Every structure is written in C-alpha cells, then in structure tokens.
Amino acid sequence: LLSEVIETQIRGGGVAAAQATIALMVDGSAKESLQRELVSEWAKFDPVSAADYVDSFGSEATTRMKTALVEEWAENDPAAAAAWLGNLSTEDPAYGAASVQITREWTRYDLTASSEWLNSLPASPELDRAVATYAFRAAQEDPPAAMSWAESITSDRMRSRMMEQVAANWKNDDPEGFTTYLDNSDLSDEARQELENAKSWDRGGRSGGWRR
C-alpha cells in the first residue's frame, strides 16, 4: 500500500511528500525498497535531483538506490549518468552493475563515445561485464575493435566466451579479415582452433545468439 502511495505522490509532483513519508519509516528492508522506488520514479523526470537525493545519504546510500538511479538516467542521458558514476569508487558494489547499465544504453546509438568512456576508466575486474557488453554490441559493426575489447577482459572464462562470440560474427561477416587476425595473433594452436570453431550463444549458453 505504501508503495502505491509513494508512486502516486511522485507522479503527482509530490516528491517532498514522498520523501517525508519514507523518512518517518523504521529502518529496514521495506524502507530501503521504497527509497529505491522513489529514486527510480524521480530519475525518470529529474535525474539530477534524484542524484542529489542519493548523494545526501553519503556512504549510507544503498546499492539498490544507486543502480536504480543509473538505470533510469542512462536511458536518456548515458553521458550524464557516466559522469555521476565517476564519483563512485571502483570498489563500490554498485560500480560494476551501473557501468553495465550505462554501456548497454550508450552503445545502442554511439559506440565511439561509449568506447572512449570505457577507455577512460581504470581497468578493474568490476568492469569485465561492461566491457563484455560493449564487445557484444560492437561485434557486428567493428569486429577488430570488439575483439580487442574482448581480449582485455580479466576473467578467463568471460574473456574466452566473448572472444568466441566476436569470432563467430567476424568469420561469418568478414572471413578474410578474421583469418588475417588469427594469422597475426599470438594465440596458441588450441585457442585458434576454439575461435575457428566458435558459435554464437543465446541466453542459456546454447548456440544461436549470445546475449547478456
């Protein structure tokens, strides 16, 4: 019931009232859930103010609040969402998930800008999923760049998986370019054979079309 009240207040322009309602609640999972909903709804029409609200909690801001903010913000302005994310520590639990959300939205229409942003971030295992997301998006438009990004993934399993995905697209669309890449690489014979035999993946890990 409270969730519906909060949502109605926000949509009616009563953000302050929604904040006051939540502030009166006892700390716990229910309160945290409503805080996340407040941020999510608020960020749809005023992400900057929603970000200020999240920031006001300092170190007590929950991961769910932060990811809710970025998820909504990135849909309309991934660059601004990325700028806000830059204020978080790479060790923040929200950092990895939020970077994936930004990459997923930004690469829908601007591979170059999203690539420059990812390249500006300090390399870390927390970025592996974001890099994998970028590599998957770029695989059809720029296989060489996609493969370069896939090779930079720190997780052995994820790196191999994404390199195979990129290889599956590359060899179908540009077999000569793919062969040239293999010939110029320092891959082992086993690794080369795995890429040559690679097939795309679906959600369940079966051949067909890998997706996150």
Side-chain angles (χ1 to χ4, degrees):
L1 179 60
L2 267 177
S3 177
E4 293 180 1
V5 169
I6 295 297
E7 185 175 341
T8 300
Q9 287 175 325
I10 296 170
R11 292 184 176 180
V15 173
Q19 287 181 255
T21 300
I22 295 173
L24 293 173
M25 295 180 63
V26 177
D27 291 343
S29 59
K31 184 174 183 177
E32 290 182 3
S33 180
L34 290 177
Q35 286 173 331
R36 181 198 180 283
E37 183 170 343
L38 168 61
V39 171
S40 181
E41 292 294 331
W42 197 354
K44 290 179 181 178
F45 63 89
D46 189 356
V48 174
S49 295
D52 289 341
Y53 173 71
V54 173
D55 290 339
S56 70
F57 286 86
S59 61
E60 295 183 2
T62 66
T63 297
R64 295 179 67 194
M65 290 171 65
K66 296 172 187 175
T67 53
L69 170 67
V70 172
E71 183 175 8
E72 294 296 337
W73 204 348
E75 285 190 14
N76 298 312
D77 193 347
W84 181 84
L85 182 67
N87 296 318
L88 299 185
S89 165
T90 56
E91 298 178 358
D92 191 305
Y95 188 85
S99 65
V100 172
Q101 294 169 339
I102 292 170
T103 304
R104 182 173 58 242
E105 296 300 330
W106 212 341
T107 53
R108 292 182 189 278
Y109 59 87
D110 195 337
L111 285 172
T112 300
S114 54
S115 174
E116 291 174 350
W117 171 66
L118 279 175
N119 208 33
S120 72
L121 301 178
S124 68
E126 288 75 21
L127 283 178
D128 275 353
R129 290 173 58 213
V131 172
T133 299
Y134 180 88
F136 175 72
R137 297 286 196 193
Q140 294 182 340
E141 296 185 33
D142 191 350
M147 185 62 80
S148 179
W149 278 104
E151 291 173 340
S152 72
I153 295 173
T154 62
S155 164
D156 291 340
R157 182 175 180 274
M158 191 181 299
R159 180 175 61 252
S160 297
R161 188 176 186 183
M162 279 312 307
M163 287 180 66
E164 290 175 12
Q165 170 61 31
V166 175
N169 287 321
W170 197 351
K171 67 182 181 180
N172 288 333
D173 297 339
D174 180 16
E176 292 185 5
F178 177 63
T179 299
T180 298
Y181 159 75
L182 292 176
D183 291 341
N184 292 331
S185 71
D186 56 359
L187 294 168
S188 66
D189 292 340
E190 180 181 0
R192 174 171 178 147
Q193 185 174 8
E194 288 178 353
L195 294 185
E196 288 177 331
N197 297 330
K199 295 181 180 180
S200 56
W201 301 56
D202 65 9
R203 293 182 186 273
R206 299 164 294 186
S207 60
W210 188 89
R211 297 181 182 178
R212 290 196 63 265

